[in-house]
Amino acid sequence: MTDLAQMDSVSRAAEIHPSSIIADGARIGHGVKVGPWCSVGPDVVIEDGAHLIANVIIDGRTRIGPGVVCYPFTTIGLAPQDLKYRGEPTRCIIGARTVVREHVTIHRGTATGSGVTRVGDDCLIMANSHIAHDCTLGNGVIIVNNVVMGGHVTIGDQARIMGAAALHQFVRIGHAALVGGVCGVEADVIPYGSVLGNRARLVGLHWIWLKRNGVRPDEMHRLRRAFRALYPRAMDDEKAAFSHRLAGVRAEYGDEAKVAEILEFIEAPSHRGLVRVAGGGAASIESDGV
């Protein structure tokens, strides 16, 4: 991350199109390219090698990481869509090498929330998506076209959110989870979980991601057994029995790192509870995640 104390207001090595407006006070790093008709506010920091292609608006106390690429008609760091917001100096941070495609909107945080909206490194935010105030996205997250999310959503590293999904405010999406297209997600999705449906239901684990990321067959086998123990195919009294199943999985599979991660996620504080399993128990589908 660039040392702000060593940054000029506008680096001499930056390329700024004459039609763009860079406000006094903005800090523009080495090798930054700002194309035509962009607007950069006075409290914005754009780190080395970032590229605003054209018609990009960045405002507020916003920091754009090194190597970030913003496509036309994106807006980053504008005021949140929250009636309680009164102009407090909240922030927006975009991590290194993240790509923000056309017509994406990313709003800064609120004083009543965390105060910062944060997108991690190496993310891909596809066209027409909206990242609301106080959301936190981990590293390597992919958000497909037309995804919308309410405020305070948390998305773990490597998660995939497919096209036109809608995430309720305060929802948590776990590490490497997969949210299917056109899902309405009203509750938390466990790490490596896969959810589908008009109102999202847990249908299995994100097996394709696990395979592509070097999980050994023996690990896959134990992870599958742990998942089926937590979410058996037939559950007569799901709510009453879940705590017993949780304890059983912890005793038998708790030494597996990915199982322990799922259990920790389940037991963490939650505003929304967990996404319900699909009717008749969880189907162990092989989902073609991105």
Side-chain angles (χ1 to χ4, degrees):
M1 183 172 285
T2 305
D3 185 349
L4 290 180
Q6 298 178 358
M7 283 186 71
D8 297 328
S9 293
V10 179
S11 169
R12 294 178 182 178
E15 299 178 19
I16 312 294
H17 192 277
S19 65
S20 288
I21 299 172
I22 309 298
D24 291 342
R27 300 190 185 187
I28 310 295
H30 182 83
V32 169
K33 296 180 180 180
V34 179
W37 310 112
C38 295
S39 175
V40 177
D43 297 314
V44 171
V45 176
I46 302 179
E47 297 192 51
D48 297 349
H51 186 187
L52 313 186
I53 292 176
N55 297 94
V56 175
I57 297 176
I58 304 179
D59 203 2
R61 295 174 180 264
T62 296
R63 185 167 188 143
I64 304 296
V68 167
V69 180
C70 296
Y71 279 73
F73 306 106
T74 61
T75 63
I76 301 175
L78 273 65
Q81 296 176 138
D82 186 327
L83 295 175
K84 299 184 297 299
Y85 183 69
R86 295 292 182 269
E88 296 90 349
T90 53
R91 297 181 296 150
C92 180
I93 299 172
I94 310 297
R97 300 172 301 279
T98 283
V99 175
V100 184
R101 295 301 306 248
E102 298 86 346
H103 295 278
V104 166
T105 54
I106 305 175
H107 291 167
R108 60 183 180 259
T110 64
T112 54
S114 65
V116 58
T117 301
R118 188 184 303 271
V119 177
D121 300 340
D122 302 300
C123 296
L124 172 57
I125 315 300
M126 296 191 195
N128 298 298
S129 295
H130 173 63
I131 299 174
H133 61 86
D134 303 293
C135 288
T136 299
L137 279 62
N139 299 327
V141 171
I142 295 178
I143 304 293
V144 180
N145 302 66
N146 301 300
V147 168
V148 294
M149 57 190 77
H152 314 277
V153 167
T154 301
I155 302 178
D157 295 349
Q158 302 294 324
R160 274 61 174 136
I161 315 298
M162 298 295 102
L167 311 183
H168 195 286
Q169 63 182 354
F170 291 104
V171 153
R172 297 180 301 147
I173 308 295
H175 174 209
L178 172 66
V179 174
V182 203
C183 267
V185 183
E186 299 173 312
D188 299 344
V189 180
I190 62 172
Y192 315 105
S194 177
V195 297
L196 297 173
N198 179 285
R199 286 296 180 266
R201 293 293 181 262
L202 186 64
V203 296
L205 293 182
H206 193 177
W207 301 114
I208 294 296
W209 186 93
L210 292 164
K211 290 176 181 177
R212 289 176 179 172
N213 285 272
V215 179
R216 301 190 314 270
D218 61 312
E219 291 179 286
M220 295 279 281
H221 179 69
R222 286 178 61 80
L223 188 56
R224 181 178 283 107
R225 288 177 65 86
F227 178 78
R228 287 178 174 170
L230 269 178
Y231 300 104
R233 294 179 182 275
M235 293 180 289
D236 296 328
D237 191 355
E238 177 184 342
K239 186 174 181 180
F242 188 74
S243 61
H244 299 294
R245 297 199 303 275
L246 199 64
V249 168
R250 183 182 296 105
E252 188 168 355
Y253 303 102
D255 57 341
E256 293 283 347
K258 288 180 172 55
V259 175
E261 183 180 358
I262 292 171
L263 297 178
E264 182 179 1
F265 181 93
I266 290 171
E267 294 174 330
S270 171
H271 290 272
R272 302 294 304 167
L274 294 172
V275 161
R276 295 179 63 184
V277 71
S284 182
I285 65 167
E286 300 284 332
S287 178
D288 290 328
V290 175

